[in-house]
Amino acid sequence: MSEQTATSLLPPEVIEQYADLGVDLVALFSAGSLGNRMGIEIVEASADRVVGTMPVEGNTQPYGLLHGGASAVLAETIGSVGAMLHGGPGKVAVGVDLNCTHHRGLRSGVVTGVATPVHRGRSSATYEIVISDEQDRRVCSARLTCALRPAAPPAPGTTPA
């Protein structure tokens, strides 16, 4: 991440709670291997709102437009972070449904996704994700539902992730 890190986005006690379960929040908030390859950065994170950015360059389809799958990856990444933070350290968020509607094509710039909750329950969480361009025009509307599963503690003798 550029200027902010997971440690500056979340209280240390939250990071420690997840570390006890074997979850490295700093690595998670870097959006993982796929998110790193796509240039996704999480710039704000809470159960109420997650904001992430992604460059268009490097994430285009053969016609040179932002790939719809890239928008889907951004949407699922930030929606999953919100669901995970809602579930807390005792739960793991697993995506079970993703719906994306693509409104406009882009050839350059950076898109910003904002995930906000539609439903937050004990066993599932649904987030609406709006992806916009630098002129604040909607590029994609998405909805993600995650199942919230009990988190298993790391197996004895293993190193947390």
Side-chain angles (χ1 to χ4, degrees), residues 9-155:
L9 292 170
L10 297 169
E13 60 271 13
V14 172
I15 294 170
E16 289 173 25
Q17 288 174 333
Y18 283 91
D20 291 344
L21 294 169
V23 177
D24 182 350
L25 283 184
V26 175
L28 177 68
F29 278 53
S30 72
S33 298
L34 179 59
N36 285 337
R37 283 194 302 269
M38 298 182 76
I40 294 174
E41 293 187 13
I42 307 294
V43 296
E44 178 184 332
S46 72
D48 294 323
R49 177 178 155 97
V50 180
V51 179
T53 62
M54 180 181 69
V56 172
E57 184 177 349
N59 294 313
T60 57
Q61 36 86 314
Y63 298 116
L65 297 171
L66 177 63
H67 196 293
S71 293
V73 170
L74 176 59
E76 185 152 357
T77 298
I78 64 176
S80 293
V81 168
M84 179 215 55
L85 292 172
H86 161 67
K91 303 246 177 131
V92 175
V94 180
V96 295
D97 181 64
L98 176 65
N99 174 285
C100 297
T101 301
H102 307 287
H103 305 293
R104 72 174 55 246
L106 292 178
R107 293 186 183 278
S108 63
V110 173
V111 292
T112 300
V114 178
T116 55
V118 174
H119 164 78
R120 292 187 294 186
R122 288 177 292 164
S123 62
S124 69
T126 300
Y127 280 74
E128 175 186 41
I129 302 96
V130 174
I131 299 174
S132 303
D133 66 11
E134 293 168 306
Q135 287 75 45
D136 204 29
R137 297 176 299 186
R138 190 177 291 225
V139 173
C140 175
S141 299
R143 186 189 66 248
L144 172 71
T145 298
C146 290
L148 299 175
R149 307 286 311 239

